[in-house]
Amino acid sequence: MPPIRTPVADGWFSEEGGDFTLLGTRCLTCTSVFFPREDTFCRNPSCAGTRLEEVPLSRRGRVWSYTDGRYQPPPPYVWDADREWEPYALVAVELEAERMVVLGQAPPGVTVDDLAVGMEVEVVPGVLNEDAEHIWTTWHWKPVPVEGAR
């Protein structure tokens, strides 16, 4: 039996119809948008709203900050102990429309040397870990090629 694709955080993103999208919620009282999603109350301290709707978030944004993840995080981080630890780039991205910052890893092969503050990136599907039963899916921030660049 093939491994089951399992999101690392249920309801935080969608892969429906081949389009990969982060999912947030919007307060119907004050229009504030949140990620990760909120299903109970508005996180805006100035609003007492409790009616929230799911909204797709911008697929693109700009690198706000980034760093190298050079050490293996401790449990409960899921990692195959039989595989060698591979460093990764962690990217904070300011979303285009929402103007909020969302953290995520860069895809494998993209290092801090490939990133710059202000660079345009897009959200793409990613894999956090795999085992015999599951492929743990997540999102990655992939640099958008600059038109005209070689």
Side-chain angles (χ1 to χ4, degrees):
M1 180 172 196
I4 299 167
R5 290 182 66 81
T6 306
V8 294
D10 196 35
W12 286 22
F13 55 88
S14 170
E15 298 184 75
E16 296 294 318
D19 286 332
F20 189 88
T21 308
L22 291 176
L23 300 173
T25 47
R26 175 184 295 122
C27 174
L28 295 174
T29 303
C30 72
T31 70
S32 294
V33 178
F34 309 104
F35 182 83
R37 64 181 302 122
E38 173 59 63
D39 295 316
T40 310
F41 60 90
C42 181
R43 288 189 197 137
N44 178 345
S46 303
C47 180
T50 56
R51 294 181 342 154
L52 305 164
E53 67 178 348
E54 182 177 274
V55 293
L57 301 178
S58 298
R59 294 181 43 78
R60 288 190 175 193
R62 300 239 170 231
V63 173
W64 185 76
S65 185
Y66 58 93
T67 191
D68 240 350
R70 291 246 164 236
Y71 69 94
Q72 182 176 344
Y77 185 83
V78 179
W79 186 255
D80 182 351
D82 294 331
R83 282 181 30 201
E84 183 179 336
W85 171 251
E86 293 179 35
Y88 59 91
L90 187 61
V91 189
V93 175
E94 184 175 23
L95 298 182
E96 229 168 43
E98 297 82 3
R99 310 297 293 178
M100 74 169 77
V101 176
V102 175
L103 221 52
Q105 290 183 4
V110 175
T111 70
V112 293
D113 295 332
D114 303 312
L115 300 170
V117 170
M119 167 187 276
E120 187 174 22
V121 292
E122 65 183 336
V123 69
V124 295
V127 172
L128 181 63
N129 195 20
E130 300 180 46
D131 61 27
E133 291 135 18
H134 297 92
I135 296 173
W136 300 99
T137 59
T138 188
W139 66 92
H140 287 158
W141 291 111
K142 180 181 173 186
V144 173
V146 177
E147 289 186 35
R150 296 177 191 231

